[in-house]
């Protein structure tokens, strides 16, 4: 187990050192929140006007803490994810060992350690690596409490679910599922006094709310009503605009000819959160309209994606899930994992776009089931070898080879997908150099872009509108620099012209080409009027 963890850490650390470039948009927001926390500026991000209500606080607070050592929030975020990604192998091992046996637990941990998608994810500043490690540890504690619901196990599980919630709010629902299975286990497995356990299990939500209540109280104070999360109002508002016929970019960043913001994401979060809520009928209609999209995205991401190592991973996961008998305790564990995956899928109804990382919990659970499947495959091959008259040593070799080949069928397709992604990230280092150069000038800047160029500057989303309205909006927002990217020309009506002819009333301040051939041009705007 120690060797597997060291391998996981080494792979992630090397990829983070060798392949990282420009920070991702979400990571830039987390990093700026962390910087503002340290600077005493409040819980404010880069791409969000005013108080940031979308992202829960634990991940940016962790980045802030580590950045006190590193002196750089981006590096701190990457270090956190490298460590979290490496640590994930241990709770996965514990869950798989509990459900099956030691060998399958080690196999699952090994898959998690070397899986290229998870390695690549750990080099970013997304929150998934930290979230998964907390969630899987909480899940193992809850599963252990099914067998023996001690105060310690229930306390640890509730607290860990609370910390996971402070990274991703859906962990609260997962805690309720864990509680339900602890009680169901007492009924089906005849463990102890049910009434006593029902009273004792309440320690889980108590510990959860001890951890989570400061954030819940703060969020409720900010929004004016009791809230456990404020992601869904923003996502649902965007999805409804898309279903009304707006392009995604218009729904998110639209501005009308009177310079009134119509998009969801180019105005303060609080404006959307405090706006009139969505009716039940509107919500049901939205879910119905999105159903086929959710099914298609699920199938594409889980069953066929090379990123995850499917279709081999999907086939092996099904074999591991259904290929053997279920004793009662295993049936409870299997059912709990399936329900968590169903809830994760349901959550995507409330996200206005799709990304494969939204399904990463499938990847983790599939690695557990795939490890069980490869063990069964190894035993089947050994039996066939024995029936063929091979000696015991050759039987063992045949079985081990089958298991290795099955693992390779998962890892190789994922590696084929992952290497270009890592290379593309490496290719953005010239863009990162431009950002660093702008930041080194020390001049106050307000940059408009379709992605968050960090540069220690204030940020404004380029509006979705016509060119004249865009120029007026940039003037209104007192933008000093505009970034034009060749890979985003279709995202705004005017960007293709600006790439070819330049931004009107500006000068070209910087130009670079990424390793993948994408052109990035930065223009200084010539301000006019008061303060220009």
């Amino acid at each position: 187990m120690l060797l597997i963890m060291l391998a996981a850490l080494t792979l992630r650390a090397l990829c983070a050192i060798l392949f990282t470039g420009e920070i991702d948009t979400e990571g830039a927001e987390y990093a700026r929140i962390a910087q503002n926390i340290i600077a005493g500026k409040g819980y404010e991000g880069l791409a969000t006007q005013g108080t940031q209500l979308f992202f829960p606080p634990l991940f940016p607070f962790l980045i802030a803490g580590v950045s006190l050592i590193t002196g750089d929030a981006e590096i701190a975020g990457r270090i956190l994810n490298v460590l979290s990604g490496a640590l994930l192998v241990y709770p996965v091992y514990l869950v798989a060992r509990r459900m099956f046996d030691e060998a399958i637990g080690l196999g699952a941990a090994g898959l998690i350690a070397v899986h290229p998608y998870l390695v690549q994810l750990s080099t970013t500043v997304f929150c998934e690596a930290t979230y998964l490690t907390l969630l899987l540890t909480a899940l193992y504690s809850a599963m252990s409490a099914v067998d023996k619901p001690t105060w310690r196990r229930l306390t640890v599980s509730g607290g860990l679910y609370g910390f996971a919630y402070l990274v991703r709010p859906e962990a609260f629902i997962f805690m309720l599922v864990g509680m339900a299975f602890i009680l169901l286990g007492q009924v089906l497995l005849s463990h102890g006094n049910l009434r006593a356990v029902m009273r004792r299990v309440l320690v889980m939500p108590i510990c959860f709310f001890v951890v989570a209540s400061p954030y819940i109280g703060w969020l409720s104070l900010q929004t004016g009503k009791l809230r456990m999360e404020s992601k869904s109002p923003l996502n649902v508002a965007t999805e409804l605009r898309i279903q009304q016929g707006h392009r995604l970019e218009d729904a998110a960043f639209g501005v009308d000819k009177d310079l009134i913001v119509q998009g969801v994401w180019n105005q303060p979060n609080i404006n959307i959160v405090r706006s009139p809520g969505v009716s039940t009928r509107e919500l049901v209609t939205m879910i119905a309209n999105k159903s086929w999209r959710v099914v298609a995205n699920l199938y594409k991401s889980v069953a066929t994606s090379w990123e995850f190592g499917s279709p081999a991973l999907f086939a092996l996961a099904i074999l591991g899930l259904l290929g053997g008998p279920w004793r009662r305790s295993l049936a409870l564990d299997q059912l709990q994992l399936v329900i968590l995956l169903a809830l994760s899928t349901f959550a995507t109804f409330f996200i206005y776009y799709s990304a494969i990382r939204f399904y990463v919990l499938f990847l983790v659970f599939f690695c557990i089931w795939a490890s069980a499947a490869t063990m069964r495959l190894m035993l089947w091959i050994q039996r066939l070898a024995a029936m063929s008259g091979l000696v015991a040593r050759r039987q063992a070799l045949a079985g081990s080879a089958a298991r290795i080949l099955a693992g390779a069928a998962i890892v190789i397709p994922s590696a084929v997908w992952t290497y270009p992604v890592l290379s593309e990230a490496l290719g953005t280092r010239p863009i990162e150099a431009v950002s660093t150069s702008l930041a080194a000038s020390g001049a106050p800047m307000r940059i408009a872009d379709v992605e968050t160029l960090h540069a220690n500057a204030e940020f404004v989303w380029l509006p979705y509108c016509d060119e004249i309205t865009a120029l007026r909006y940039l003037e209104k927002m007192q933008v000093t620099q505009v970034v034009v990217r060749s890979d985003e020309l279709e995202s705004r009506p005017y960007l293709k012209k600006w790439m070819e002819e330049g931004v009107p009333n500006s000068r070209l301040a910087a130009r670079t080409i990424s390793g993948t051939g994408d052109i990035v041009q930065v223009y200084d705007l010539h301000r006019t009027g008061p303060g220009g």
Side-chain angles (χ1 to χ4, degrees):
M1 192 62 235
L2 180 60
L3 289 174
I4 291 172
M5 291 184 72
L6 287 174
L9 180 62
T10 301
L11 277 173
R12 285 156 176 78
L14 284 174
C15 286
I17 293 168
L18 297 176
F19 290 103
T20 53
E22 183 184 24
I23 190 171
D24 50 88
T25 296
E26 198 167 294
E29 186 76 355
Y30 281 125
R32 180 57 61 85
I33 294 171
Q35 289 174 334
N36 286 336
I37 289 169
I38 292 173
K41 296 179 180 179
Y43 199 74
E44 297 185 1
L46 174 65
T48 305
Q49 298 179 41
T51 302
Q52 165 61 256
L53 301 177
F54 188 78
F55 291 127
L58 181 58
F59 192 52
F61 268 90
L62 289 173
I63 292 174
V66 176
S67 69
L68 293 175
I69 301 171
T70 65
D72 185 287
E74 178 183 343
I75 293 174
R78 296 192 195 277
I79 289 173
L80 274 172
N81 275 348
V82 166
L83 293 175
S84 297
L87 290 173
L88 175 62
V89 302
Y90 190 63
V92 167
Y93 158 74
L94 292 175
V95 170
R97 185 186 66 174
R98 168 191 163 74
M99 293 174 64
F100 300 104
D101 58 33
E102 176 78 12
I104 292 174
L106 290 171
L111 272 176
I112 295 293
V114 303
H115 196 288
Y117 179 82
L118 292 174
V119 172
Q120 180 269 330
L121 188 64
S122 293
T123 66
T124 69
V125 194
F126 290 117
C127 68
E128 275 76 10
T130 299
Y131 171 69
L132 287 172
T133 301
L134 290 169
L135 178 66
L136 266 291
T137 309
L139 175 63
Y140 175 72
S141 296
M143 284 180 164
S144 300
V146 172
D147 298 331
K148 192 174 181 181
T150 63
W151 291 104
R152 179 177 177 274
R153 290 178 179 179
L154 294 169
T155 299
V156 169
S157 181
L160 286 169
Y161 275 120
F163 285 114
Y165 158 83
L166 292 177
V167 182
R168 295 274 291 270
E170 57 265 35
F172 172 65
I173 304 298
F174 293 173
M175 181 205 66
L176 297 180
V177 173
M179 289 176 59
F181 272 88
I182 291 170
L183 295 175
L184 185 59
Q186 306 313 302
V187 174
L188 296 181
L189 304 177
S190 301
H191 287 160
N193 185 305
L194 180 59
R195 288 188 177 181
V197 173
M198 288 178 67
R199 291 192 296 269
R200 191 181 303 168
V201 81
L202 291 176
V203 76
M204 280 182 70
I206 290 172
C207 291
F208 174 92
F209 283 110
V210 166
V211 173
S213 58
Y215 174 61
I216 296 171
W218 176 85
L219 187 61
S220 301
L221 184 65
Q222 294 293 321
T223 60
K225 61 185 294 187
L226 180 63
R227 280 193 174 276
M228 292 194 67
E229 58 87 28
S230 56
K231 282 189 169 186
S232 56
L234 293 154
N235 278 321
V236 168
T238 312
E239 176 63 29
L240 287 175
R241 282 177 56 80
I242 292 171
Q243 292 192 11
Q244 290 164 4
H246 296 273
R247 277 185 51 149
L248 187 153
E249 294 85 359
D250 187 18
F253 309 113
V255 172
D256 67 19
K257 292 184 181 297
D258 296 321
L259 303 187
I260 297 173
V261 171
Q262 302 295 325
V264 173
W265 300 96
N266 52 349
Q267 58 180 300
N269 291 164
I270 193 64
N271 292 358
I272 304 299
V273 175
R274 285 185 174 174
S275 62
V278 178
S279 68
T280 303
R281 182 176 180 178
E282 288 177 313
L283 199 59
V284 170
T285 301
M286 183 198 79
I287 291 173
N289 291 339
K290 197 175 180 183
S291 295
W292 283 114
R293 245 195 302 158
V294 168
V295 172
N297 289 334
L298 176 65
Y299 175 76
K300 179 181 177 182
S301 299
V302 171
T304 65
S305 66
W306 279 34
E307 294 97 316
F308 281 3
S310 289
L313 176 63
F314 180 74
L316 287 168
I318 296 300
L319 177 61
L321 175 63
L322 303 175
W326 290 7
R327 63 189 185 278
R328 283 190 178 184
S329 60
L330 177 60
L332 286 173
D333 291 345
Q334 301 274 44
L335 184 58
Q336 182 167 187
L337 297 193
V338 170
I339 289 175
L340 295 187
L341 294 182
L343 289 171
S344 296
T345 302
F346 183 70
T348 63
F349 278 97
F350 304 94
I351 306 174
Y352 65 93
Y353 69 103
S354 181
I356 194 168
R357 62 189 174 89
F358 298 158
Y359 301 93
V360 70
L361 190 61
F362 279 85
L363 173 56
V364 173
F365 290 172
F366 277 16
C367 283
I368 293 173
W369 289 325
S371 178
T374 59
M375 180 60 70
R376 291 190 180 110
L377 182 63
M378 182 181 77
L379 295 175
W380 291 341
I381 295 298
Q382 287 177 347
R383 292 192 195 103
L384 287 174
M387 292 170 62
S388 301
L390 295 179
V391 298
R393 181 172 175 272
R394 291 185 180 273
Q395 293 172 26
L397 285 174
S400 297
R403 195 177 190 201
I404 291 170
L405 288 173
I410 297 170
V411 172
I412 291 174
S414 182
V416 169
W417 172 86
T418 299
Y419 182 74
V421 174
L422 289 171
S423 297
E424 183 178 351
L426 176 62
T428 64
R429 287 188 177 178
I431 303 173
E432 186 180 37
V434 168
S435 175
T436 303
S437 175
L438 290 171
S441 70
M445 294 180 293
R446 179 170 288 185
I447 296 175
D449 195 355
V450 296
E451 297 180 17
T452 46
L453 190 74
H454 205 240
N456 291 326
E458 295 183 40
F459 179 83
V460 174
W461 289 107
L462 278 171
Y464 187 89
C465 55
D466 61 80
E467 181 187 26
I468 294 174
T469 302
L471 292 170
R472 292 170 55 219
Y473 180 76
L474 296 179
E475 181 77 20
K476 175 186 175 182
M477 299 301 293
Q478 298 183 325
V479 169
T480 58
Q481 281 84 19
V482 173
V483 180
V484 182
R485 301 171 184 258
S486 64
D487 62 334
E488 295 285 355
L489 298 183
E490 300 302 319
S491 68
R492 304 293 190 273
Y494 46 84
L495 284 182
K496 185 175 182 180
K497 179 183 175 184
W498 286 6
M499 174 59 72
E500 295 170 352
E501 303 176 11
V503 179
N505 194 32
S506 71
R507 70 174 184 85
L508 183 63
R511 186 179 189 273
T512 190
I513 302 177
S514 74
T516 56
D518 295 323
I519 301 170
V520 176
Q521 298 176 169
V522 181
Y523 293 89
D524 285 339
L525 294 185
H526 299 308
R527 310 256 22 113
T528 59

